[in-house]
């Protein structure tokens, strides 16, 4: 039975997030990370009206676990009324877009199909032009991950249940979508064999770089990025990030808005090291909300931002309309 490790060392979590930063700031845009004024704002709709496009993280901004954050449904309706286009940009690669939309609607969150961008969707955009195109791979994820996001799953996944073409050692890379079914099961045992055998020459494509997801009770659930970070620490594997904070998901979100410059976009998220870091590197304005992973944080938020070297433009308790 799958049993995720408990998350007890938050300092280790920060070190894991720090491993993303070098490849993101190589392009010489590191100064952008500390330019934000960290202005405290209360009226989210008024703030959103100042931009041409709003990108909203899901977990921690719209919902916590299986519960919507109170008042957020009204915010989405108010954005429509104000004529503010938005996209929900989620590091979710474990659920199909259809299932994720159905869940949001059950929570009273009115999101249309064209308004949802998931990190799982990025796989289909990235893979055809990748050097890994057409090569067999091992999927770490759920059955839903396999069906929704795994490229040519039946032909190329060495651990596809109906594939008799490949052996385990034929895998040339790992696609990591979700760790929901990983710990304590065959995926963990097989990945450990692969990593021990292939080591640094075995790339991991990370569809979901999130380390944790906020739960309704205030806890933090270790997710796919956490597991991939453990692999990187132990085996020095190469990680190829597709979701936030990496550029590919922001590029996909902007694709249908060709006339909108990144500086005219507002990225809203609850995590400094994915939502805000990614938005800043992409040249967007950013708004950090305290309704998710930082809820109840004892460290003053401005001090935390300075210590982490990531300064959002705005800080809000929540985007919820009263």
């Amino acid at each position: 039975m799958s049993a995720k490790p408990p998350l007890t060392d938050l300092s280790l979590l920060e070190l894991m997030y720090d491993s993303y930063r070098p490849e993101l700031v190589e392009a010489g845009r590191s100064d952008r990370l500390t330019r934000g004024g960290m202005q405290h704002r209360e009226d989210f709709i008024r703030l959103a009206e100042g931009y041409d496009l709003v990108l909203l993280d899901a977990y921690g901004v719209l919902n916590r676990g299986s519960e919507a954050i109170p008042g957020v449904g009204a915010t989405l309706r108010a954005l429509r009324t104000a004529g503010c286009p938005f996209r929900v940009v989620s590091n979710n690669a474990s659920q199909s877009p259809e299932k994720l939309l159905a869940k949001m609607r059950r929570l009273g969150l009115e999101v249309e199909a064209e308004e949802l961008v998931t990190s799982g969707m990025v796989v289909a955009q990235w893979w055809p032009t990748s050097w890994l195109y057409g090569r067999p791979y091992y999927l770490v994820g759920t059955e839903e991950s396999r069906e929704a996001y795994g490229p040519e799953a039946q032909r190329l996944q060495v651990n596809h249940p109906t594939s008799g073409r490949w052996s385990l050692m034929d895998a040339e890379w790992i696609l990591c979508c979700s760790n929901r079914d990983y710990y304590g099961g065959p995926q963990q045992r097989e990945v450990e064999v692969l990593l021990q055998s292939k080591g640094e020459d075995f790339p991991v494509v990370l569809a979901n770089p999130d380390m944790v997801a906020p739960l309704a009770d205030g806890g933090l659930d270790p997710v796919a990025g956490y597991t991939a970070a453990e692999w990187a620490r132990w085996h020095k594997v190469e990680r190829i990030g597709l979701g936030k904070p990496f550029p590919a998901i922001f590029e996909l979100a902007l694709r249908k808005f060709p006339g909108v410059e990144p500086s005219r976009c507002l990225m809203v998220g609850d995590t400094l090291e994915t939502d805000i870091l990614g938005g800043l590197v992409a040249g967007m304005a950013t708004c950090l909300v305290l309704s998710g992973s930082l809820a109840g944080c004892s460290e003053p938020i401005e001090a935390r931002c300075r210590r982490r070297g990531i300064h959002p433009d705005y800080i809000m308790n929540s985007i919820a309309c009263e």
Side-chain angles (χ1 to χ4, degrees):
M1 180 179 231
S2 179
K4 291 186 181 182
L7 183 62
T8 56
D9 188 346
L10 295 182
S11 62
L12 175 59
L13 182 64
E14 291 188 351
L15 288 174
M16 287 178 165
Y17 271 129
D18 284 344
S19 68
Y20 291 161
R21 199 176 302 205
E23 59 194 281
L24 288 168
V25 300
E26 276 182 341
R29 292 176 288 186
S30 58
D31 63 321
R32 180 70 182 91
L33 303 187
T34 54
R35 276 193 242 151
M38 297 189 286
Q39 299 177 37
H40 285 261
R41 301 291 287 268
E42 296 182 359
D43 188 336
F44 178 71
I45 302 302
R46 179 170 293 183
L47 176 62
E49 287 176 331
Y51 293 90
D52 296 331
L53 177 64
V54 176
L55 305 182
L56 300 167
D57 180 35
Y59 290 95
V61 176
L62 304 182
N63 64 294
R64 287 187 292 261
S66 59
E67 298 180 5
I69 294 172
V72 166
T75 299
L76 298 184
R77 293 190 291 273
L79 286 173
R80 296 189 196 284
T81 300
C84 297
F86 67 87
R87 291 291 183 267
V88 176
V89 182
S90 170
N91 275 358
N92 188 315
S94 62
Q95 295 174 296
S96 68
E98 295 78 15
K99 187 170 182 178
L100 187 56
L101 282 168
K103 175 183 177 180
M104 289 181 176
R105 289 163 184 165
R106 286 196 302 272
L107 298 179
L109 303 173
E110 299 172 9
V111 178
E112 301 300 325
E114 65 272 14
E115 294 170 335
L116 177 64
V117 180
T118 73
S119 58
M121 293 177 185
V122 181
V123 177
Q125 306 294 321
W126 160 86
W127 189 63
T129 58
S130 164
W131 62 279
L132 294 172
Y133 179 76
R135 300 188 182 191
Y137 64 97
Y138 188 97
L139 174 79
V140 175
T142 61
E143 182 61 29
E144 196 167 353
S145 301
R146 184 194 315 279
E147 294 177 0
Y149 304 122
E152 297 192 37
Q154 193 166 359
R155 187 174 77 88
L156 291 174
Q157 278 179 18
V158 303
N159 59 327
H160 192 283
T162 64
S163 175
R165 180 180 182 184
W166 308 105
S167 69
L168 175 66
M169 298 308 294
D170 287 324
E172 296 185 29
W173 56 288
I174 289 177
L175 174 60
C176 183
C177 289
S178 167
N179 67 2
R180 187 177 300 169
D181 298 334
Y182 176 77
Y183 291 100
Q187 290 184 19
Q188 183 174 16
R189 292 192 295 273
E190 291 171 347
V191 167
E192 287 175 352
V193 169
L194 286 169
L195 294 177
Q196 289 168 6
S197 301
K198 304 199 176 191
E200 296 182 22
D201 297 325
F202 197 53
V204 173
V205 176
L206 185 53
N208 179 2
D210 281 351
M211 300 287 178
V212 294
L215 299 171
D217 63 4
L220 296 173
D221 178 32
V223 291
Y226 183 93
T227 302
E230 291 183 320
W231 299 338
R233 290 177 65 216
W234 298 333
H235 300 283
K236 309 300 183 186
V237 295
E238 175 190 2
R239 285 177 301 181
I240 302 170
L242 300 183
K244 298 172 293 183
F246 297 95
I249 192 168
F250 295 101
E251 292 167 1
L252 182 59
L254 288 172
R255 187 164 296 175
K256 291 189 177 179
F257 299 89
V260 175
E261 294 294 326
S263 61
R264 297 296 304 152
C265 298
L266 177 66
M267 177 65 220
V268 183
D270 72 310
T271 306
L272 278 171
E273 293 88 350
T274 53
D275 306 313
I276 306 304
L277 174 61
L280 290 173
V281 170
M284 298 176 178
T286 58
C287 178
L288 177 69
V289 296
L290 309 182
S291 52
S293 61
L294 293 174
C297 178
S298 59
E299 183 179 13
I301 190 60
E302 293 88 350
R304 186 184 185 93
C305 292
R306 293 188 184 99
R307 179 172 62 79
R308 300 295 293 144
I310 304 172
H311 296 188
D313 296 285
Y314 311 102
I315 298 172
M316 302 187 74
N317 289 327
S318 169
I319 69 167
C321 288
E322 297 297 334

